[in-house]
């Protein structure tokens, strides 16, 4: 027998940016909802990922601003960094947000259970808690368990000399030297952070290009900025081994040994689908990702998956979006199929200095799909707001189809790039083409004018550029 307290309309496993949004929306729609989390509310993103890293990167930005303030007439002298205080700020930022999620779940009437969940059968979820095991039932079960850091074969993080991103967030001391393996968003952000904090940083990438997911023009711009501040960026290299010892760590790279105080492995993540009891339902692919349809539903009874565990792009805002699509559909609130190209239009943001953000298709992808892409980068060095704030490093480039005027994508490098990319996200969501985009009145002076000017230039009628 199951008590009423163990019966729900929706059970969500995992309370990260996908899980807590799904639970909150389900309860908002009047569904009796429970969310199960084995660690902290907010998941990796709020506790050990997106939020704390951005708090640390803000500290690096402040330090950088102070060091260069003399050029605008403000001399402050030597900058003293109390890194432990910055880490405390980072942790407090995370705690404030996770407390807010707890309050939100309570206000929505969501039952929050701390424990480890397994899917025990059709509509059945067992929760191993500190003092008991709860046997729950639900019409719908949503898996939102996220992903974990991936390591290289034969190289295991030890929390001391060999770090994952979680170890890098927990340290209260700036390493004198650091080797970062992987130049994706995580690796590049930590390389940028510690270089700005004074570490001697070497960044290793197996692919031929730095920031391999970005357009070549964007990745080249950021690489030049990295090298200008002393980061040794090496692409097309293979890490053959890592040897940790009392004095540091030796990294074997294509026959060369690089010695540093610490090494950070940032070579991607893997889905948290093991240990959930999913084997008998045959819903995972060969890599461990859960297969779903456009609404997050698997081929099994009432079983859904959203976020990283359901595949890429593995980003928090993608997980939150999938949560709303999934819950709205299963509740019968909205079963409008997502656009076929919606995954390409998930903004990709890297919070390095300078920032880089992109969305939609690359020029190569657009050409392969039969478009005739036209794009002209507008340098921030031509922008009045950028000149006044001394943030002139970077550009905005919007890709437009010459035949139809459709906006195909865009890349932005520079200050607030991760904010500016939302202009193109909204344009796509509302169906605006390039001509309609130019009808928007953009504030002056603003960095957003460069995005607007890039669209005008792609149409062949620039206003403020040659």
């Amino acid at each position: 027998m199951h008590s009423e307290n163990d019966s729900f309309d929706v059970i969500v496993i995992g309370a990260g940016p996908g899980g807590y949004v799904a639970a909150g929306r389900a309860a908002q729609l009047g569904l009796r909802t429970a969310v199960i989390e084995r660690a902290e509310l907010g998941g990796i993103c709020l506790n050990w990922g997106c939020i704390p890293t951005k708090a640390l990167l803000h500290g690096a930005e402040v330090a950088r601003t102070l060091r260069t303030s003399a050029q605008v007439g403000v001399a402050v002298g030597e900058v003293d960094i109390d890194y432990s205080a910055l880490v405390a700020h980072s942790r407090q930022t995370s705690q404030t947000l996770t407390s807010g999620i707890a309050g939100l779940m309570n206000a929505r009437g969501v039952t929050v259970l701390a424990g480890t969940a397994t899917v025990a059968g059709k509509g059945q979820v067992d929760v191993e808690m500190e003092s008991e095991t709860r046997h729950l039932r639900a019409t719908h079960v949503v898996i939102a368990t996220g992903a974990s850091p991936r390591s290289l074969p034969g190289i295991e993080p030890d929390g001391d000399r060999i770090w994952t991103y979680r170890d890098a967030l927990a340290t209260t001391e700036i390493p004198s030297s650091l080797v970062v393996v992987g130049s994706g968003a995580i690796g590049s952000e930590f390389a940028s952070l510690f270089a700005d904090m004074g570490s001697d940083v070497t960044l290793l990438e197996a692919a031929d290009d730095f920031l391999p997911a970005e357009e070549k023009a964007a990745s080249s711009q950021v690489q030049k900025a990295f090298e200008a501040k002393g980061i040794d960026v090496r692409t097309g290299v293979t890490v053959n081994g890592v040897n940790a010892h009392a004095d540091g760590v030796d990294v074997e790279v294509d026959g060369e040994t690089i010695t540093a105080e610490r090494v950070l492995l940032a070579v991607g993540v893997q889905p948290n689908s093991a240990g959930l009891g999913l084997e008998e339902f045959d819903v995972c692919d060969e890599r461990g990702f859960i297969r779903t349809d456009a609404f997050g539903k698997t081929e099994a009874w009432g079983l859904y998956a959203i976020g990283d565990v359901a595949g890429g792009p593995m980003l928090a805002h993608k997980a939150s979006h999938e949560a709303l699509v999934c819950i709205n559909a299963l509740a019968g609130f909205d079963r409008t199929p997502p656009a076929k190209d919606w995954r390409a239009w998930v903004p990709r943001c890297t919070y390095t200095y300078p920032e880089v953000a992109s969305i939609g298709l690359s020029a190569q992808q657009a050409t392969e799909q039969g478009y005739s892409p036209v794009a002209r980068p507008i340098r921030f060095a031509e922008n009045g707001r950028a000149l006044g704030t001394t943030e002139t490093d970077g550009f905005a480039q919007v890709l437009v189809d010459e035949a139809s005027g459709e906006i195909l994508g865009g890349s932005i490098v520079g200050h607030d790039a991760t904010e500016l990319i939302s202009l193109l996200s909204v344009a796509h969501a509302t169906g605006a083409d390039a001509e309609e985009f130019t009808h928007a009145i953009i504030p002056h002076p603003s960095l957003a004018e460069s995005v607007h000017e890039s669209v005008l230039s792609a149409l062949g009628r620039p206003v403020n550029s040659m």
Side-chain angles (χ1 to χ4, degrees):
M1 294 289 292
H2 286 265
S3 71
E4 182 180 344
N5 290 335
D6 290 331
S7 297
F8 298 89
D9 298 311
V10 177
I11 294 174
V12 182
I13 303 175
Y20 82 77
V21 170
R25 179 56 178 158
Q28 191 178 55
L29 290 170
L31 301 175
R32 181 173 167 81
T33 305
V35 63
I36 304 161
E37 175 55 56
R38 66 183 181 184
E40 307 103 333
L41 291 176
I44 291 297
C45 176
L46 268 68
N47 292 279
W48 297 102
C50 319
I51 300 303
T53 56
K54 305 315 169 278
L56 293 175
L57 286 162
H58 174 66
E61 179 182 15
V62 171
R64 203 168 45 244
T65 300
L66 292 173
R67 291 188 185 109
T68 59
S69 63
Q71 64 184 299
V72 294
V74 181
V76 297
E78 186 176 350
V79 177
D80 182 29
I81 298 174
D82 182 348
Y83 193 67
S84 62
L86 177 56
V87 171
H89 161 68
S90 170
R91 300 313 314 151
Q92 183 58 53
T93 300
S94 292
Q95 290 164 15
T96 298
L97 289 173
T98 54
S99 296
I101 293 171
L104 180 64
M105 295 295 97
N106 182 61
R108 295 271 171 87
V110 175
T111 298
V112 178
L113 300 175
T116 301
T118 54
V119 181
K122 181 179 179 180
Q124 302 174 46
V125 177
D126 291 347
V127 186
E128 195 75 32
M129 306 173 71
E130 278 192 10
S131 58
E132 62 176 326
T133 298
R134 294 274 294 272
H135 304 285
L136 312 181
R137 288 186 178 275
T139 306
H140 309 282
V141 176
V142 181
I143 298 174
T145 48
S148 300
R150 188 166 61 87
S151 57
L152 293 172
I155 305 173
E156 290 299 326
D158 60 12
D160 180 21
R161 296 294 180 183
I162 306 173
W163 285 351
T164 66
Y165 61 76
R166 184 159 181 156
D167 301 315
L169 282 168
T171 187
T172 57
E173 296 182 356
I174 303 169
S176 59
S177 54
L178 176 70
V179 173
V180 179
V181 182
S183 74
I186 294 173
S188 295
E189 286 179 4
F190 277 110
S192 182
L193 167 67
F194 284 112
D196 285 337
M197 289 288 121
S199 296
D200 180 7
V201 178
T202 301
L203 181 57
L204 308 176
E205 172 57 54
D208 290 333
D209 294 319
F210 168 72
L211 282 172
E214 299 297 334
E215 288 267 25
K216 180 65 175 177
S219 62
S220 295
Q221 179 85 28
V222 180
Q223 181 173 344
K224 288 176 183 176
F226 271 31
E227 291 171 341
K229 61 182 173 182
I231 298 176
D232 182 5
V233 179
R234 306 188 190 186
T235 59
V237 298
T238 301
V239 175
N240 305 114
V242 175
N243 177 38
H245 48 82
D247 298 323
V249 60
D250 296 330
V251 183
E252 303 296 330
V253 183
D254 293 339
E256 178 186 354
T257 300
I258 303 173
T259 300
E261 185 178 328
R262 300 284 190 276
V263 61
L264 168 62
L265 299 181
V267 291
V269 294
Q270 55 194 5
N272 291 330
S273 58
L276 291 171
L278 300 177
E279 292 78 11
E280 65 178 282
F281 306 113
D282 190 28
V283 294
C284 295
D285 66 17
E286 67 280 359
R287 297 177 299 164
F289 291 105
I290 299 176
R291 300 185 302 271
T292 71
D293 65 12
F295 299 102
K297 192 177 187 307
T298 72
E299 295 178 353
W301 50 267
L303 185 65
Y304 306 78
I306 58 175
D308 289 358
V309 76
M314 300 170 82
L315 300 166
H317 44 284
K318 173 260 195 183
S320 297
H321 176 77
E322 284 185 326
L324 297 177
V325 170
C326 176
I327 297 300
N328 286 340
L330 69 81
F333 179 80
D334 181 5
R335 289 196 57 82
T336 304
K340 290 182 179 180
D341 64 347
W342 77 269
R343 289 180 185 272
W345 285 88
V346 176
R348 303 173 292 274
C349 299
T350 305
Y351 297 78
T352 49
Y353 184 80
E355 292 183 352
V356 56
S358 57
I359 196 168
L361 302 177
S362 67
Q364 180 179 341
Q365 290 169 333
T367 300
E368 291 172 350
Q369 293 185 26
Y371 293 103
S372 301
V374 178
R376 178 168 182 268
I378 301 298
R379 298 184 304 120
F380 286 136
E382 303 170 10
N383 178 279
R385 182 65 186 275
L387 286 165
T389 59
T390 72
E391 295 286 357
T392 56
D393 193 9
F395 63 86
Q397 177 175 286
V398 181
L399 205 63
V400 174
D401 180 40
E402 187 173 28
S404 66
E406 180 183 350
I407 295 175
L408 303 174
S411 296
I412 305 173
V413 176
H415 188 68
D416 277 351
T418 57
E419 299 285 344
L420 295 170
I421 202 69
S422 295
L423 289 170
L424 299 181
S425 183
V426 172
H428 176 73
T430 56
D433 63 14
E435 185 63 43
E436 290 165 326
F437 187 90
T438 65
H439 295 167
I441 300 173
I442 305 298
H444 174 77
S446 68
L447 295 177
E449 289 179 287
S450 295
V451 181
H452 191 259
E453 183 72 9
S454 182
V455 175
L456 284 166
S457 295
L459 291 174
R461 52 178 202 268
V463 173
N464 295 303
S465 56
M466 301 296 290

